Amino acid sequence: MVGPGGIDALIQLLAKLPGLGPRSARRAALHLLKRRESLMEPLARALRDTADSVKTCSVCHNIDTVDPCSICTDPKRDRSQICVVEDIGDLWAMERVAGFRGLYHVLGGTLSALDGVGPEDLHVGGLVERARHPDVKEVVLATNATVDGQTTAHYIAERLAGTDVTVSGLAHGVPVGGELDYLDEGTITAALKARKPV
Amino acid sequence: MEWRDEGIVLSARRHGETSAIVTLLTREHGCHAGLVKGGFSKRSRAVIEPGNRAHAVWRGRLAEHLGLYALETVHCHGAILLDDGDRLSAMAAALAVAEGALPEREPHGAVFAALEAFLDALEHEDLAPEPAAWGGLYVKWELGLLRQLGFGLQLNHCAATGVAGDLVWVSPKSASAVCREAGEPYRDRLLPLPGFLLARGGGAGTVGEVMKGLRLTGYFLDRHLFSPHGRAMPQARARLVERMARLANEPV
């Protein structure tokens, strides 16, 4: 028993968050209780509001307070490109760099024999439908550079074979600021394979 | 307890936030799982990619414990095959079949050596330039796996007449070859035997032959190694069959 009923439940719930264990959850709970008005209550309100208002976009499977999401409805976005990502976290990563101004499609995972994830568990059908729209010229497959990620990318490329879109994938290689001595063998191997004339 | 061995990563599943339970096919200790602390962390993620060959040090208090793995990459097959969907699907199929079919912690050095050789052939386009070539090697690898696990096919002579020539079918009942003449009345019930399985070394002549081989080994893998344990054949293998069927312009 860590504390009185309600606090104990709070600690147990906080401990389920990524990056937090029971000890750090206790610290977080204490921190919240000490700042009840300035932090705990606004946080509770924000959690409630988010839980009530956030929905999944019926077009790209991003999450937003509106459906379709603000990216899908943004008139400044390039509608000729769709970037396919595994998860919403990957979409946020792409948005952080602001290097892509097209639309997105969130798959909801990758094909995985181990976890029993098959094509029917991913949002591939919707992507193929979107790719058939005459405005769409390119689909960028931005799945992770893992065996599962690339297996999924090849599968999607096959499914898109019947459409008129260009299918491209992200390059694999040395990261910006990366020193060869500190890179793993796989990255160096992929970078060597994808070398280009300078 | 501690041992050192070389292994091929068959799979890695997340355990907690950053740790991984990694299954290796090792040379001397067979299919063996272990915990890799921080395996899914940014620094170590690449080491546990399926298909990688790694030096493994396993430590555990008792032999039957899950134990901890310390892995160091020797060679990254996956990284080289990432851009080639067909070869990548063959690698994924071989890893999934090995993990599903092999009993845990039972040494199968020959299966390890054959898988290693197959992954090398996949990686070096000069060793197996065409889908028919590496597809044929894949079928032979599955045939070898069946043999190693005690379910080998008898393909030397006809089960009905004893002749060694014109073997074109395999009986699903006896797992033995059947010659054209003896098998003709039962052709609907027999499995086609592709000719390249009778030759020493090398792959198949055509992708169609590979498809025949995949149906043959698939039947016996399912019958002896997957169905009895209530398991379905791996999805990764089904995807390889789909790809090969597309290349051969055949229905799956």
Side-chain angles (χ1 to χ4, degrees), chain A residues 161-175:
Chain A
T163 62
D164 293 331
V165 295
T166 305
V167 182
S168 58
L170 297 185
H172 309 137
V174 181

Side-chain angles (χ1 to χ4, degrees), chain B residues 15-225:
Chain B
H15 182 77
E17 273 180 47
T18 57
S19 293
I21 294 177
V22 176
T23 304
L24 298 181
L25 175 59
T26 60
R27 196 184 291 275
E28 290 166 15
H29 297 83
C31 204
H32 199 298
L35 183 77
V36 177
K37 280 194 172 171
F40 272 100
S41 66
K42 239 192 235 175
R43 256 176 82 181
S44 311
R45 180 71 185 81
V47 178
I48 59 167
E49 266 303 291
N52 279 0
R53 206 160 66 219
H55 275 306
V57 180
W58 181 87
R59 289 187 187 93
R61 197 166 64 78
L62 297 172
E64 56 266 31
H65 284 179
L66 175 66
L68 293 176
Y69 266 138
L71 302 177
E72 194 180 324
T73 307
V74 176
H75 188 73
C76 303
H77 287 290
I80 293 166
L81 301 175
L82 283 184
D83 293 332
D84 188 330
D86 293 334
R87 287 168 193 263
L88 188 66
S89 70
M91 182 186 84
L95 300 178
V97 168
E99 187 175 15
L102 287 167
E104 274 196 49
R105 302 187 176 200
E106 193 178 289
H108 285 284
V111 177
F112 173 84
L115 182 60
E116 199 177 23
F118 174 63
L119 294 179
D120 279 340
L122 272 184
E123 184 185 315
H124 295 105
E125 289 187 19
D126 48 330
L127 289 178
E130 302 293 331
W134 55 255
L137 294 177
Y138 176 83
V139 173
K140 286 189 171 181
W141 176 77
E142 283 193 340
L143 214 54
L145 178 70
L146 281 164
R147 191 169 50 245
Q148 280 297 317
L149 294 176
F151 303 106
L153 276 62
Q154 188 283 109
L155 304 177
N156 297 329
H157 56 265
C158 174
T161 63
V163 299
D166 206 20
L167 302 172
V168 291
W169 282 297
V170 174
S171 160
K173 217 169 180 181
S174 66
S176 301
V178 178
C179 71
R180 192 185 305 274
E181 196 187 340
E184 193 56 42
Y186 313 101
R187 60 181 305 159
D188 296 345
R189 279 180 272 165
L190 299 174
L191 298 163
L193 170 62
F196 76 94
L197 291 183
L198 301 171
R200 277 191 176 277
T206 64
V207 183
E209 289 273 285
V210 175
M211 281 301 294
K212 281 185 192 172
L214 285 171
R215 284 192 197 107
L216 181 68
T217 51
Y219 176 83
F220 289 104
L221 281 171
D222 189 37
R223 180 173 139 188
H224 295 302
L225 301 171

Side-chain angles (χ1 to χ4, degrees), chain A residues 30-81:
Chain A
L30 265 178
H31 187 82
L32 287 169
L33 285 165
K34 281 180 189 167
R35 290 157 184 80
R36 211 174 291 196
E37 277 172 27
S38 64
L39 186 61
M40 196 175 194
E41 280 168 13
L43 177 67
R45 270 198 302 277
L47 285 171
R48 170 53 51 206
D49 291 349
T50 310
D52 288 343
S53 60
V54 168
K55 35 189 143 293
T56 303
C57 174
S58 55
V59 180
C60 71
H61 304 281
N62 182 19
I63 50 171
D64 205 336
T65 51
V66 286
D67 178 22
C69 71
S70 50
I71 295 178
C72 286
T73 51
D74 185 349
K76 289 182 192 154
R77 290 275 174 170
D78 180 356
R79 296 191 170 267
S80 69
Q81 290 182 321

Side-chain angles (χ1 to χ4, degrees), chain A residues 19 147 154 158 186 189 193, chain B residues 17 49 76 80 82 243 246:
Chain A
V147 170
H154 291 301
E158 263 176 46
T189 310
K193 205 174 170 222
Chain B
E17 273 180 47
E49 266 303 291
C76 303
I80 293 166
L82 283 184
R243 276 186 171 268
R246 208 169 298 122

